[in-house]
Amino acid sequence: MILAVVYAFTKDGTPMGRHPIFGAVFHWFGAMCTVLLWLTALSNPGIVVRGGPGTVDPEAVDADDIYCDICDIWVGPRTHHCRDCGVCIEKHDHHCVWMGKCIGKGNMKAFVWFNTSWVCAFIYMFACLALLPGPHKKVH
């Protein structure tokens, strides 16, 4: 999808297609969006497994710790169980339906950079389309 948008706005006949520098910058934004999308989608969001990082020793439970009935483990604060994924996620933010996975401690930085890159790409695209001259029409 990202690459299709980049192609559509940089092919010949479009304002950005007539100016190679503008098209090259937009291609760079498209590549960044794609790479950051894959980094976010393929990284571990911070899944908490029994005995692994993020779990709390049952004998050292603190007042802030939470017990997950579904996973049957004690977890630290800001760790929540995701109903869609069926696991506890450390510093769980939300379950992203677009990526099909949770956003948590492990992939939050890549997710923020991904969102920043596509917003910047669209701002750049609309600025170029507003500032660059459109196709010249012949007057009879």
Side-chain angles (χ1 to χ4, degrees):
M1 176 71 176
I2 295 169
L3 298 176
V5 170
V6 169
Y7 173 75
F9 280 96
T10 57
K11 65 182 182 177
D12 290 339
T14 62
M16 285 200 281
R18 288 193 302 272
H19 300 279
I21 293 175
F22 294 125
V25 171
F26 196 61
H27 277 279
W28 181 82
F29 273 122
M32 287 302 296
C33 289
T34 304
V35 167
L36 290 166
L37 170 73
W38 283 105
L39 272 174
T40 305
L42 296 176
S43 60
N44 180 356
I47 297 173
V48 178
V49 294
R50 184 179 309 281
T55 58
V56 177
D57 183 20
E59 296 175 7
V61 173
D62 198 0
D64 294 333
D65 296 331
I66 305 163
Y67 182 75
C68 179
D69 294 330
I70 300 165
C71 295
D72 192 33
I73 55 173
W74 283 94
V75 293
R78 291 200 57 208
T79 299
H80 300 284
H81 187 85
C82 177
R83 291 178 295 209
D84 296 314
C85 296
V87 294
C88 285
I89 306 291
E90 194 173 0
K91 293 187 179 176
H92 184 267
D93 187 65
H94 69 285
H95 181 86
C96 183
V97 295
W98 302 106
M99 295 193 187
K101 72 181 314 178
C102 287
I103 305 300
K105 179 182 178 182
N107 61 358
M108 178 61 78
K109 195 179 290 187
F111 181 73
V112 169
W113 278 110
F114 166 70
N115 282 318
T116 302
S117 68
W118 73 258
V119 168
C120 289
F122 274 95
I123 290 170
Y124 177 77
M125 177 185 68
F126 288 122
C128 285
L129 292 176
L131 297 174
L132 293 173
H136 300 293
K137 295 182 181 178
K138 294 181 181 178
V139 179
H140 288 62

